[in-house]
Amino acid sequence: MSPTQRRQQTKAWGVVAAVTGAMLVVAAAPGRAHDADASEPTAGGRAREAALTLLVGRAVEEGGERGTGRCAVHTFRPGLCGGWREQRVVATSRGSGSVLRTPVLVDAPRAARADALPTDADAPLEIGLAEPGRLTDVTVSDGHGRHLAGRLAPEGRHWQNTEPLRAGETYAVQVGAQDAAGTPVGVTMAFRTAPPADGGRLTAEFGPRPGTYGAGQIVTADLSRPVPADDPVARARVERALQVTSEPRVEGAWHWVNDSTLHYRPRTYWPAHTVVRVRSGLDGVEVGDHGFGGPSEGVDFTVGDRIEAVTDSAAHEMTVRRNGRVIRTIPVTTGKAGFRTRAGIKVVLRKEPAVRMRGDTVGIKRGTSEFYDLPVQWATRVTWSGEYIHAAPWSVESQGEENVSHGCTGMSTQDAAWFFDTVREGDVVEVVNSGGEKMTPFDNGFGDWNVDWRTWLAGSALATAAAAADTDADGQAPPPFPSRLHPST
């Protein structure tokens, strides 16, 4: 069992007016002073305004006097979970409210120590009822307009967040409810979480650079520190914070390549002319035992026309399509026996107008019959190990007839120049019927498209967690991170 799991099992729950020392502020209607007697009948016997008392709570520490028992906001039993403080807020039919009384401090030494702790991402924010009624809507958003996902209990008695709070952040809370008579009431509150502890922050560096790319372009995220696979909760928090949006919208997912690298791709190639935005929401997020996230620079890029080049090595021919329409068929030569061209889907990595190619860079010894040292024009790179699509004027007679290269795809100088001018980074290049080894997914360029979608999702911490979601204490599976809740009446 990981330290995070042990901490979750032994988590104490508390009711606090302030999260780690930050005050809870309750909005009041203009011209009205709220106090402990706000719900009493007014002079002259007029009916009092409809009101409902809410309980607002945050877990403040680990441990507890009675072991691992959970103290949810709807129980509020002193002594069960160690130190806690209680905050009661009245919601009225005017949508405003007030703090009814000074927080009650139980087991003061423990709670006082908890106030000095930074925000604990494992600890929940809970909102419950102190009297008969039901919650109907809870919306929590931070100072950047991001909604905090949460879940309302089936009976409408309490609400709890399902994603962690951020450190050093201000939150606005809007609560809608009904009192025992069914009258709508509400309140707006705000609180601020403590800043994260000092130390290095977990950040992400995104790729590609801003620009226009092909339909096979992969989004990359390089983390400033590793997040190991044996901490799936931390990985899920990181992944949830790395946001990729596109217009038009597509189905896509992150995949953990290793402990510090993630790749994102759609289920199928990007549609032509898609606009992609990549952002990090890690700043202030506690990532388990790996500290807090810090700010990361986002990136925007666009997708150009959908260019796909498919080389059939058995037919010695490349077919190039733009947005599904064939625009050129090129006679080619690919790898001969002993040097077969890698099969599968690759992505254009770079374009080099002139490059010198030597056999010893790919393991061919100098002095042997297979060694070569040639200046090459119009070289389009598709693997980091040295596979190109390039001009090969020395093999024109073989192009379209037989495979004589050492693994590259060769064509005439005219065709190579046209191909070089037509494609861009991220365009798709596929080789079939070559008899060569399969293109690997991650270690020699972008072979990500050779991974089937089911396997790709298996490398996503979020997709894996969603597929095997544990049920909560009420026997209910958590929803897929909603930001607002509107329970049916």
Side-chain angles (χ1 to χ4, degrees):
M1 182 180 297
S2 70
T4 299
Q5 291 173 319
R6 287 195 297 271
R7 187 166 63 248
Q8 288 174 322
Q9 282 192 345
T10 60
K11 182 68 62 181
W13 297 54
V15 184
V16 293
V19 182
T20 60
M23 182 173 295
L24 179 74
V25 180
V26 183
R32 178 184 174 95
H34 290 284
D35 53 32
D37 300 322
S39 61
E40 294 301 318
T42 60
R46 290 179 300 182
R48 68 178 185 178
E49 180 181 10
L52 185 65
T53 303
L54 306 177
L55 301 171
V56 182
R58 274 279 288 156
V60 294
E61 65 175 58
E62 298 179 2
E65 295 182 1
R66 299 187 186 179
T68 61
R70 167 176 165 167
C71 272
V73 69
H74 57 292
T75 59
F76 292 145
R77 286 175 288 175
L80 179 60
C81 299
W84 55 274
R85 292 186 298 175
E86 177 182 297
Q87 180 70 70
R88 298 189 173 214
V89 177
V90 63
T92 73
S93 56
R94 299 186 183 190
S96 58
S98 68
V99 178
L100 287 182
R101 59 188 174 83
T102 302
V104 175
L105 186 62
V106 179
D107 195 358
R110 294 191 179 206
R113 288 199 305 273
D115 276 351
L117 295 175
T119 302
D120 188 341
D122 292 332
L125 165 69
E126 290 210 21
I127 299 171
L129 302 178
E131 56 195 83
R134 66 191 302 266
L135 298 171
T136 57
D137 180 54
V138 177
T139 302
V140 182
S141 57
D142 66 20
H144 297 84
R146 298 170 295 207
H147 285 105
L148 182 72
R151 180 177 180 274
L152 190 64
E155 74 279 9
R157 292 289 297 172
H158 75 282
W159 175 96
Q160 178 185 320
N161 60 309
T162 57
E163 64 176 325
L165 292 160
R166 301 168 186 268
E169 187 62 81
T170 300
Y171 286 90
V173 183
Q174 293 178 303
V175 181
Q178 293 176 348
D179 65 12
T183 303
V185 295
V187 68
T188 299
M189 301 172 282
F191 66 90
R192 182 169 56 83
T193 56
D198 293 336
R201 304 282 196 94
L202 177 66
T203 59
E205 182 177 353
F206 295 118
R209 302 176 306 275
T212 301
Y213 294 86
Q217 181 60 47
I218 301 299
V219 178
T220 63
D222 293 318
L223 304 180
S224 59
R225 63 176 66 172
V227 179
D230 62 3
D231 194 346
V233 173
R235 281 196 166 191
R237 288 177 183 161
V238 170
E239 197 175 321
R240 188 181 294 114
L242 304 181
Q243 303 151 1
V244 181
T245 58
S246 67
E247 181 59 42
R249 295 180 61 182
V250 298
E251 179 183 5
W254 288 103
H255 183 103
W256 287 80
V257 175
N258 54 47
D259 287 352
S260 57
T261 304
L262 297 89
H263 285 188
Y264 182 98
R265 50 159 269 212
R267 184 168 188 170
T268 58
Y269 302 138
W270 297 102
H273 313 303
T274 299
V275 178
V276 183
R277 293 172 54 87
V278 187
R279 297 291 184 270
S280 171
L282 277 171
D283 196 12
V285 172
E286 185 178 1
V287 189
D289 297 327
H290 311 285
F292 286 84
S296 303
E297 185 175 355
V299 67
D300 298 345
F301 68 92
T302 58
V303 176
D305 287 337
R306 180 165 167 170
I307 301 293
E308 299 171 76
V310 179
T311 296
D312 186 335
S313 291
H316 316 295
E317 185 176 83
M318 173 189 283
T319 302
V320 183
R321 291 179 173 83
R322 175 184 283 123
N323 300 326
R325 183 176 64 87
V326 175
I327 58 174
R328 197 168 182 118
T329 300
I330 303 172
V332 300
T333 183
T334 60
K336 60 185 178 181
F339 301 93
R340 297 298 186 189
T341 305
R342 292 174 186 81
I345 303 171
K346 305 151 194 175
V347 169
V348 173
L349 301 174
R350 183 182 301 167
K351 300 197 299 180
E352 302 171 37
V355 62
R356 192 164 196 90
M357 295 187 178
R358 300 194 318 271
D360 53 1
T361 63
V362 292
I364 301 175
K365 293 183 178 180
R366 288 179 178 270
T368 64
S369 61
E370 296 294 348
F371 180 79
Y372 56 88
D373 186 348
L374 295 168
V376 175
Q377 291 183 301
W378 311 122
T380 301
R381 182 188 282 269
V382 293
T383 74
W384 295 124
S385 62
E387 184 181 328
Y388 289 85
I389 299 165
H390 62 79
W394 54 84
S395 65
V396 169
E397 291 185 358
S398 298
Q399 293 163 17
E401 300 293 334
E402 60 180 331
N403 295 320
V404 298
S405 84
H406 290 89
C408 290
T409 299
M411 57 184 66
S412 70
T413 300
Q414 180 182 5
D415 285 335
W418 176 88
F419 186 81
F420 187 94
D421 291 338
T422 300
V423 300
R424 55 167 50 95
E425 288 184 30
D427 279 333
V428 176
V429 175
E430 184 175 5
V431 176
V432 299
N433 300 323
S434 71
E437 296 181 358
K438 189 78 172 179
M439 175 69 177
T440 53
F442 307 118
D443 62 350
N444 196 15
F446 290 134
D448 306 57
W449 298 103
N450 297 290
V451 180
D452 67 85
W453 188 241
R454 181 185 295 272
T455 304
W456 185 268
L457 290 180
S460 163
L462 284 180
T464 303
D470 294 329
T471 57
D472 62 15
D474 300 312
Q476 302 292 321
F481 317 116
S483 58
R484 288 179 61 88
L485 299 171
H486 294 277
S488 57
T489 56

